[in-house]
């Protein structure tokens, strides 16, 4: 029976490999990062978030490639705190040497309260 169980190469539901998702699947994270950057620019993140913390603008693939996990994590936390504040909720800006688990817990807790 065509399409039935037992086909050669069949995988369990949710276990698609790169070939099953298509040739562009490996580049999807780069597309998402570019879309994220466009949205941040629309919100004036460079003027409102980066200048305030004396940080440089993100490259178009900043979060798509693991280059410096500590720096990338801090940038993520800075942007998350800024976005939460921009949404009208008071949120304390994390510091670079804060406990990462505590910072993520605070971010997730605030997001759940939305």
């Amino acid at each position: 029976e065509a399409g039935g169980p037992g086909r050669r190469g069949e995988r369990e539901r949710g276990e698609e490999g790169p070939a099953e998702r298509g040739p562009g699947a490996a580049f999807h994270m780069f597309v998402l990062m570019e879309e994220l950057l466009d949205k941040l620019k629309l919100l004036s993140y460079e003027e409102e978030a980066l200048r305030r913390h004396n940080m440089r603008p993100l490259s178009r693939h900043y979060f798509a490639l693991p280059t410096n996990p500590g720096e990338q994590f801090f940038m993520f936390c800075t942007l998350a705190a800024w976005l939460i504040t921009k949404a009208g909720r008071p949120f304390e800006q994390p510091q670079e040497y804060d406990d990462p688990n505590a910072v993520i817990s605070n971010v997730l807790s605030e997001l759940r309260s939305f």
Side-chain angles (χ1 to χ4, degrees), residues 78-104:
T78 299
L79 291 174
W82 173 70
L83 288 167
I84 291 168
T85 304
K86 191 152 182 77
R89 296 299 251 294
F91 193 84
E92 188 175 326
Q93 175 64 41
Q95 300 303 309
E96 192 167 1
Y97 297 105
D98 287 350
D99 175 31
N101 293 318
V103 173
I104 288 300

Side-chain angles (χ1 to χ4, degrees), residues 3-109:
R7 289 186 311 182
R8 195 170 86 187
E10 183 176 2
R11 294 179 180 258
E12 293 291 321
R13 179 176 231 110
E15 292 184 27
E16 292 181 347
E20 288 81 12
R21 291 182 288 170
F27 301 99
H28 184 68
M29 69 184 96
F30 295 99
V31 173
L32 288 176
M33 181 59 211
E34 288 187 31
E35 290 174 356
L36 170 68
L37 191 56
D38 288 342
K39 291 173 183 177
L40 287 171
K41 285 180 180 181
L42 287 172
L43 293 171
S44 304
Y45 91 105
E46 291 169 323
E47 293 81 21
E48 294 182 23
L50 299 184
R51 240 183 237 152
R52 187 170 149 210
H53 300 287
N54 198 26
M55 300 172 110
R56 42 193 177 114
L58 302 177
S59 69
R60 60 190 193 124
H61 302 286
Y62 186 78
F63 291 117
L65 299 170
T67 54
N68 183 342
E71 178 186 300
Q72 289 171 310
F73 179 77
F74 181 64
M75 178 63 80
F76 168 78
C77 294
T78 299
L79 291 174
W82 173 70
L83 288 167
I84 291 168
T85 304
K86 191 152 182 77
R89 296 299 251 294
F91 193 84
E92 188 175 326
Q93 175 64 41
Q95 300 303 309
E96 192 167 1
Y97 297 105
D98 287 350
D99 175 31
N101 293 318
V103 173
I104 288 300
S105 179
N106 291 340
V107 168
L108 290 174
S109 175

